[in-house]
């Protein structure tokens, strides 16, 4: 028997000065357990989108994609480098118009957190400092008066744009570990420049020393990372995040400090004044030249799921939407003294919304978690996390079930996580749980690897169910929507009577409650839009009015909506509103052969492989011409299945995006990158030497091992676009 017993809050609810007695804003109040909006507890979901890495014309569509994904807060770095690469000439034009971006977010019904730095990192050159700031004879990131004079001028320029705008939060600096006084100074300078918000934040990982009560500490969690050496094993600081624990610090992000073990006793909340909150749960992972991790959708979802079970009061993702650097040379690189060579332009991050604006598989996994938080967040926020007495002994433990309880002593949710990458877990045999007086399921069940579950406990007439809570649809008889836990037979108890059923699209009628248990096979097609449950394999998005927009490459989208009164799904009527549905193969024409022998390695920096220089790339890469037919009204994308080392796409000879190969297909939006009918489009691909030691995902490494001498292949190129349909 797997036992967990509810443990109530160990300290009374507190209200910090922040948002309560200082920086007050009507309807916003922070407590030691949760955020209140209009007096109601909420669990915000923030997603990172960098306005300066996304075309301005795409802001609204990206924000609506985020909204459909359950994101409620948009976070963005403000890159000083992007705005003022040249001294004395700051720009806030086009997609650098941060004020318009904030207003657009607010008009789309989304809150905003600006991460103003001035040092931000974000895989940017000099951590986001312009070269002229980096070269200044000052002590950067300190209270050196000469440095503060530069910051004061920049904050004044930024404040002239955003002063008076409604921000939910402002983050100061990033990954600053030992300068609490400097954070207070930056807060004063930001206020003096007219910037204000009810919540001020700072990153707390790496044991950061933060000024008490001045900033909300924010944490992170990445299941893998590009910032370790190519030959490094899967680091324990990554592995930790696939377990339930009350350890919120992650010394693996930006620091190398002693790591507390999973078994060490930890407080459930890392601060007596503030709730546990995150800003950098890995929505994916960037790709460095020397190390190219590629997290799966389940990898991403497991880390986020565990944080909810751990007691998270704020789910924050980095990145949620990828983008493209505004100019070559804006990236972190060995040439500027940073330990990683990053792509010069592409910043896809394997995010739920990729660089091209297309949804990744992780978007479906995460939006179900976010629908759960939207529906149950008010209750969940006041449910402390409780861990079982018997829990894994460490990150090597693959036999002890990983589970946690969030409850209030009466009702709650049982969280299970039985997945991790790199070292697959076996099937867990004979699981049965005891939560207080409840025992579930009635008979032990096997838990297959890949299981993520949030089973409801004591909700109305329902005692328990072995399917994950998704949402509640209102009505005279409410409908509790559950998602089948794949591989686990569905059973439930109501009024003490145990029953089994097959998941289907028809409800189970209880006394005063309907249960709708959706089959696991439909998981990727499930969407929750406010009080509506939708099924569609096509992409859906919507704005503040909730009117659905569907995008499809088929002749007509298929969207169904559930009617709780009828207890059935019906077709949602949609009208065409633009675009062209198209999906055709494209055959690249070889313009120039690649070099027959590329080096196993180029230069090295601090022991890590460097990316080839532009001159070397041009000398050794193959060149292909891509012919794009004229298709009026089409928003054209390319899907390139390829293998090699480094690839660039060029429009009229100008590089517009690039990518390091990691075994995944490359998705590209042509109009976003400046392509137009008649423009020359070329693909440049550098082979990867068979003996290369860059770290690759297992399937990519296996493919490289089959190569004779070097690997380069263009397997398939597809040109496609989608038509758009509206309610």
């Amino acid at each position: 028997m797997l036992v967990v017993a509810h443990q109530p809050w160990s300290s009374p609810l507190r209200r910090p000065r922040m948002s309560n007695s200082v920086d007050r804003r009507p309807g916003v109040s922070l407590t030691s357990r949760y955020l209140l909006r209009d007096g109601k507890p909420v669990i915000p979901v923030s997603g990172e989108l960098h306005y300066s890495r996304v075309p301005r014309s795409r802001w609204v569509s990206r924000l609506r994609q985020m909204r459909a994904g359950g994101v409620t807060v948009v976070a963005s770095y403000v890159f000083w480098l992007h705005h003022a690469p040249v001294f004395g000439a700051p720009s806030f034009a086009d997609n650098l118009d941060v004020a318009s971006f904030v207003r657009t977010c607010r008009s789309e019904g989304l809150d905003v957190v600006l991460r103003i730095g001035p040092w931000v990192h974000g895989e940017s050159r000099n951590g986001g400092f312009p070269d002229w700031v980096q070269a200044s004879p000052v002590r950067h990131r300190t209270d050196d008066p000469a440095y503060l004079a530069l910051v004061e001028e920049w904050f004044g320029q930024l404040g002239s744009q955003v002063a008076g705008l409604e921000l939910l939060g402002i983050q100061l600096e990033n990954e600053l570990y030992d300068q609490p006084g400097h954070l207070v100074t930056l807060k004063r300078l930001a206020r003096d420049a007219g910037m204000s918000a009810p919540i001020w934040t700072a990153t707390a990982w790496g044991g950061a020393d933060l000024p008490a009560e001045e900033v909300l500490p924010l944490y992170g969690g990445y299941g893998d990372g590009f910032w370790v050496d190519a030959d490094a094993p899967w680091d324990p600081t990554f592995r930790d995040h696939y377990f339930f624990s009350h350890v919120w610090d992650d010394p693996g992000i930006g620091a190398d400090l002693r790591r507390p073990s999973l078994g060490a006793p930890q407080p459930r909340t890392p601060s007596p004044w503030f709730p546990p909150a995150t800003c950098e749960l890995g929505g994916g992972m960037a790709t460095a030249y020397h190390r190219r991790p590629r997290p799966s959708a389940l990898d991403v979802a497991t880390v986020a799921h565990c944080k909810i079970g751990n007691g998270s009061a704020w789910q924050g993702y980095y990145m949620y939407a990828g983008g493209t650097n505004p100019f070559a040379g804006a990236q972190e690189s060995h040439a500027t003294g940073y330990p990683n060579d990053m792509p010069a332009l592409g910043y896809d991050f394997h995010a739920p919304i990729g660089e091209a604006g297309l949804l990744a598989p992780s978007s479906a996994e995460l939006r179900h978690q976010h629908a759960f938080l939207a529906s149950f967040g008010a209750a969940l926020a006041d449910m402390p996390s409780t861990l079982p007495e018997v829990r894994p002994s460490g990150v090597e433990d693959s036999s002890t079930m990983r589970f946690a309880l969030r409850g209030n002593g009466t009702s709650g949710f049982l969280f299970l996580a039985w997945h991790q990458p790199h070292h697959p877990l076996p099937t867990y045999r004979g699981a049965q749980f005891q939560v207080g007086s409840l025992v579930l399921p009635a008979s032990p069940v096997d838990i297959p690897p890949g299981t993520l579950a949030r089973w409801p406990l004591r909700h109305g007439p329902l005692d328990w169910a072995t399917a994950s809570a998704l949402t509640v649809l209102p009505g005279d008889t409410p409908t509790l929507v559950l998602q089948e836990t794949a591989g686990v037979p569905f059973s439930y108890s109501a009024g003490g009577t145990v029953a089994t059923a097959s998941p289907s699209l028809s409800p189970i009628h209880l006394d005063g409650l309907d249960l709708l248990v959706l089959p696991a096979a439909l998981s990727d097609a499930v969407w929750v839009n406010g009080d509506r449950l939708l099924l569609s394999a096509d992409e859906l998005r919507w704005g503040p009015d909730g009117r659905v927009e569907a995008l499809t490459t088929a002749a007509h989208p298929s969207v169904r909506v559930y009617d709780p009164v009828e207890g059935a799904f019906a077709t949602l009527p949609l009208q065409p509103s633009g675009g062209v549905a198209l999906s055709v193969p494209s055959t690249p024409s070889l313009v120039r052969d690649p070099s027959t022998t590329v080096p196993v390695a180029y230069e090295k920096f601090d022991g890590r492989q460097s990316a080839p220089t532009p001159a070397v790339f041009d000398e050794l890469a193959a060149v292909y011409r891509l012919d794009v037919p004229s298709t009026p009204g089409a928003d054209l994308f390319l899907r390139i299945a390829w293998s090699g080392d480094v690839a660039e796409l060029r429009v009229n000879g100008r590089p517009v995006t690039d990518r390091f190969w990691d075994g995944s297909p490359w998705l590209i939006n042509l109009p976003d990158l400046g392509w137009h009918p008649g423009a020359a489009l070329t693909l440049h691909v550098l082979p990867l030497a068979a003996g290369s030691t860059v770290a690759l995902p297992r399937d990519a490494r296996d493919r490289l091992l089959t190569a004779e001498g070097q690997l380069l292949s263009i397997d398939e190129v597809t040109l496609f676009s989608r038509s758009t349909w509206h309610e």
Side-chain angles (χ1 to χ4, degrees), residues 383-639:
M383 292 178 173
S385 167
T386 301
L387 303 178
E389 288 190 13
V390 178
R391 51 187 184 268
S393 58
V395 295
E396 300 289 345
D397 188 338
S398 61
S399 61
T400 304
M401 175 51 62
R402 304 169 188 181
F403 67 106
L405 170 70
R406 286 191 73 168
N408 57 18
T410 302
S411 63
F413 300 91
L414 184 66
F415 289 82
L416 282 63
W418 197 240
H419 168 75
Q420 65 183 27
H422 305 303
H423 302 284
L425 297 173
T427 296
Y428 186 94
R429 303 292 181 184
Q432 191 175 34
F433 301 86
Q434 181 178 341
V435 185
S437 61
L438 294 180
V439 174
L440 68 152
S443 300
V445 294
D446 293 344
I447 306 295
T451 294
L452 299 183
R454 45 186 185 273
W455 292 347
L457 307 173
R458 290 201 176 102
H459 287 263
L462 183 71
D463 302 321
W464 53 261
T466 60
S468 290
L470 178 69
T471 191
V472 174
L473 305 178
D476 292 339
T477 300
T479 302
L480 174 60
V481 183
L482 307 176
Q483 291 178 289
E484 177 189 13
T485 302
V488 177
F490 174 66
S491 62
Y492 65 96
S493 173
T497 300
V498 175
T500 61
S502 296
S504 73
L505 301 185
S506 299
I508 301 166
H509 301 294
L510 304 181
D511 184 14
L513 180 71
D514 283 353
L515 284 185
L516 181 63
V517 187
L518 299 174
L522 295 177
S523 181
D524 288 350
V526 174
W527 304 77
V528 178
N529 178 3
D531 293 336
R532 294 196 293 176
L533 176 67
L534 304 162
L535 286 179
S536 180
D538 295 309
E539 181 186 339
L540 306 183
R541 60 180 71 156
W542 49 83
D545 62 4
R547 292 176 59 233
V548 169
E549 176 184 73
L551 297 96
T552 184
T553 58
H556 192 289
S558 174
V559 184
R560 290 180 287 169
V561 60
Y562 185 74
D563 183 342
V565 176
E566 297 295 329
F569 282 89
T571 298
L572 182 70
L574 298 172
Q575 299 295 324
S577 56
V580 176
L582 171 75
S583 181
V584 296
S586 178
T587 303
S589 300
L590 182 64
V591 175
R592 192 187 73 186
D593 287 319
S595 170
T596 56
T597 306
V598 296
V600 170
Y602 299 93
E603 299 297 324
K604 283 193 173 184
F605 178 84
D606 200 20
R608 293 182 176 179
Q609 283 205 38
S610 300
T613 64
V616 169
F617 178 85
D618 280 343
E619 178 187 351
L620 303 178
V623 180
Y624 301 87
R625 187 183 72 249
L626 299 174
D627 296 319
V628 180
S630 177
T631 313
D635 187 17
L636 292 172
F637 295 84
L638 285 176
R639 183 185 187 276

